[in-house]
Amino acid sequence: MSEELLLARINHGFDHLDADGDGLLTEHDHVLMGRAVARSLGHGEESAAEQRIITAYLAIWRDLHVSHLPIGTTAISRRQFVASTRALADDEAAARTVYGALAEAFLAVADVDGSGTVDAGEFFVFQRGHFSALSRDDADEAFRRLDLDGDGTLSAEEFVSGLIEFWTSRAPEAPGHWWAGRPPYLS
């Protein structure tokens, strides 16, 4: 069951990263994700804030994905994504490096007020940019589960750990299952 949960989360994640729905993860998807998150955070089209967020997403594409693409390719298929993400789940140090960098990039975008933490409102608007159907109630429930110390904010460590758990944990009770809101794959 735990392997099934991991694969369900990876596929669920891919569904939302593939922003244009063409079955491939590309640079263009990262531009679209950046735009969606900027809109969710209230930034205007073609604003400096939107461009900063798109630039952060393009850095994720460049730094996290491009170096792993086979020569001559510009996209990652679902099958490739699932296989490589699943392999990272078996290598704790590599997962912490890769997903830690991703989480730090996301944290820089989600932490709208620059406090070094993410509050429930920031979490909701950031996540809604990725998961457009995410309700406030589900986001609040996810936030409560990820806020391990119960102080009303996600520290950098809680934010990073939640994202790493989302992509790697096989433990059914891991708070990271809730990273994207109510897990549709948990009964």
Side-chain angles (χ1 to χ4, degrees):
M1 180 63 165
S2 59
E3 186 69 16
E4 291 171 11
L5 285 174
L6 176 63
L7 292 174
R9 264 193 334 281
I10 292 170
N11 277 289
H12 179 70
F14 182 88
D15 289 341
H16 293 280
L17 296 174
D18 178 17
D20 61 11
D22 68 355
L24 300 170
L25 186 58
T26 64
E27 180 177 288
H28 181 64
D29 289 311
H30 286 73
V31 170
L32 294 175
M33 284 185 282
R35 286 181 184 152
V37 168
R39 285 307 151 277
S40 186
L41 294 172
H43 302 301
E45 192 171 330
E46 298 186 29
S47 67
E50 179 197 55
Q51 190 54 55
R52 179 184 61 79
I53 293 169
I54 291 170
T55 298
Y57 277 78
L58 288 173
I60 292 167
W61 171 252
R62 192 178 49 253
D63 298 344
L64 184 59
H65 299 298
V66 170
S67 63
H68 301 289
L69 289 174
I71 295 173
T73 63
T74 59
I76 301 168
S77 70
R78 176 186 297 272
R79 184 182 55 72
Q80 292 167 315
F81 183 84
V82 169
S84 64
T85 303
R86 189 187 163 286
L88 272 175
D90 294 327
D91 185 341
E92 187 176 330
R96 177 142 295 271
T97 298
V98 170
Y99 296 125
L102 175 63
E104 292 291 334
F106 280 174
L107 179 60
V109 173
D111 179 17
V112 175
D113 66 7
S115 66
T117 63
V118 174
D119 65 32
E122 290 171 324
F123 181 76
F124 172 63
V125 295
F126 173 75
Q127 289 296 69
R128 190 182 58 198
H130 292 110
F131 307 99
S132 60
L134 181 65
S135 73
R136 182 62 194 244
D137 288 343
D138 283 349
D140 287 346
E141 175 68 15
F143 184 87
R144 281 190 294 279
R145 290 176 183 260
L146 295 168
D147 181 13
L148 300 177
D149 63 8
D151 71 351
T153 64
L154 297 181
S155 66
E157 181 55 36
E158 288 168 329
F159 191 90
V160 170
S161 293
L163 186 134
I164 292 170
E165 280 184 356
F166 178 81
W167 292 112
T168 65
S169 179
R170 288 181 173 88
E173 69 285 349
H177 285 292
W178 289 80
W179 175 256
R182 178 171 296 286
Y185 39 81
L186 287 181
S187 32

